[in-house]
Amino acid sequence: MDFTASASGPEPRLGKAFYFLFHNRHILVDRDGNIPCLESPADLPVGDFFFFGTLKNLPCYCASVLAENKSLSTKSVNLRAFFLRADDTSRQAAGYARQILDLHLNSKFCGRCGSMTHPKTGEHARVCPECSRTAYPRISPAIITAVTRGDRILLGRGVDFPNPKMFSVLAGFVSPSETLEECVIREVFEETRIRVTDVQYVSSQPWPFPDSLMIGFTARYHSGDICIDPAEIVEADWFSYDDLPLIPDASTLAGRLIRAFVRRKGE
Ligand SMILES: [Zn+2]
């Protein structure tokens, strides 16, 4: 594999390395749209750089920077946009970088006693010197489900979708003390009042916006009529496999679930 995650590596600025530099939810890329690989990173801004693994056998560091860095000839792109066009390895490394950086930015102080924490040696974690509480990278599991009814699939338009014309399969975060299958049944019912059965796992996708792990399922319609929860859904309907609205990109798990349904029906 081209990218290998690791928590132990050389100090930054010592030699050729990849630098995953973030400005809020943007990532800095070079002229070709790739992650900057720097021979002698003398122009890197001052700040904390965190080693998080190797890419093509070169060390990788992540850091938060204030703005676009003209001396590095980089430009910033939205991390979601980068995700949609990056190859699998770059996507994996960039998502990992973002979440390791978030650990260091969001857990500078202990959530229990408020003391300043420090990075733990040999592990992606931060430790409180006062109460020993350890903070790890946060991962929030969320289910995403293709609910089907014969030749039709249930798609909804979420209130927070960036593109108001796009429809997608239903999704939601897993609650404490809940199985993934229970979450599928609950989320679909809460958002549309539809009851589903035959919940089957398909595949998963890390989704660092900011820290989700999307877990994909299929389910079959059991009963009920669509009645949307307006707090979460603007519009939902059953769509025939050969007459779909605008759907998410094929690089997303949502896009893959919908296309798999279309392929099954088109056979
Ligand atoms: Zn503490």
Side-chain angles (χ1 to χ4, degrees):
M1 186 182 284
D2 284 333
F3 172 69
T4 304
S6 171
S8 303
E11 290 295 313
R13 306 170 196 270
L14 293 181
K16 192 173 181 182
F18 286 102
Y19 286 86
F20 291 69
L21 306 175
F22 294 90
H23 173 57
N24 295 328
R25 302 315 295 185
H26 286 63
I27 187 167
L28 302 197
V29 295
D30 64 18
R31 285 196 190 91
D32 299 322
N34 298 317
I35 300 301
C37 182
L38 306 175
E39 293 275 1
S40 56
D43 294 328
L44 281 174
V46 177
D48 289 331
F49 288 80
F50 302 98
F51 173 84
F52 66 91
T54 56
L55 180 62
K56 298 170 185 167
N57 293 320
L58 291 175
C60 294
Y61 302 92
C62 56
S64 179
V65 295
L66 288 177
E68 295 179 32
N69 192 317
K70 292 208 167 36
S71 58
L72 294 176
S73 300
T74 53
K75 61 177 180 178
S76 72
V77 297
N78 183 285
L79 186 59
R80 272 182 191 254
F82 179 82
F83 247 58
L84 288 182
R85 59 169 183 69
D87 58 64
D88 286 348
T89 302
S90 301
R91 189 182 299 140
Q92 181 192 15
Y96 197 77
R98 180 67 252 182
Q99 288 192 252
I100 296 305
L101 184 59
D102 278 341
L103 163 74
H104 293 292
L105 295 178
N106 298 341
S107 299
K108 272 184 190 166
F109 298 93
C110 176
R112 185 183 295 154
C113 76
S115 301
M116 187 170 271
T117 63
H118 56 72
K120 190 174 181 182
T121 305
E123 208 176 350
H124 289 304
R126 292 188 73 95
V127 185
C128 173
E130 295 299 321
C131 74
S132 301
R133 181 180 183 271
T134 305
Y136 295 96
R138 179 170 150 158
I139 299 171
S140 304
I143 61 87
I144 184 161
T145 313
V147 180
T148 60
R149 185 179 187 179
D151 285 349
R152 293 182 294 166
I153 185 167
L154 178 60
L155 301 178
R157 202 154 62 77
V159 293
D160 57 353
F161 280 13
N163 185 335
K165 290 183 179 170
M166 182 174 287
F167 282 73
S168 187
V169 286
L170 303 181
F173 287 107
V174 181
S175 292
S177 200
E178 181 177 57
T179 68
L180 298 175
E181 291 81 359
E182 288 167 346
C183 180
V184 168
I185 293 167
R186 175 183 58 76
E187 278 290 341
V188 175
F189 183 74
E190 282 181 1
E191 293 186 1
T192 61
R193 297 286 142 182
I194 295 294
R195 294 280 185 195
V196 297
T197 184
D198 194 19
V199 177
Q200 301 281 340
Y201 171 73
V202 179
S203 65
S204 61
Q205 181 178 47
W207 195 244
F209 306 105
D211 49 34
S212 299
L213 172 64
M214 305 305 295
I215 307 160
F217 290 86
T218 57
R220 283 191 300 114
Y221 171 82
H222 178 268
S223 58
D225 296 316
I226 293 174
C227 178
I228 57 165
D229 173 4
E232 299 207 35
I233 302 278
V234 179
E235 187 180 359
D237 209 343
W238 297 101
F239 290 90
S240 177
Y241 76 97
D242 57 1
D243 188 21
L244 292 177
L246 180 66
I247 59 171
D249 190 85
S251 64
T252 65
L253 181 52
R256 294 208 303 266
L257 287 171
I258 298 169
R259 284 167 180 79
F261 164 72
V262 171
R263 272 197 306 278
R264 283 199 303 276
K265 289 298 159 186
E267 284 169 357

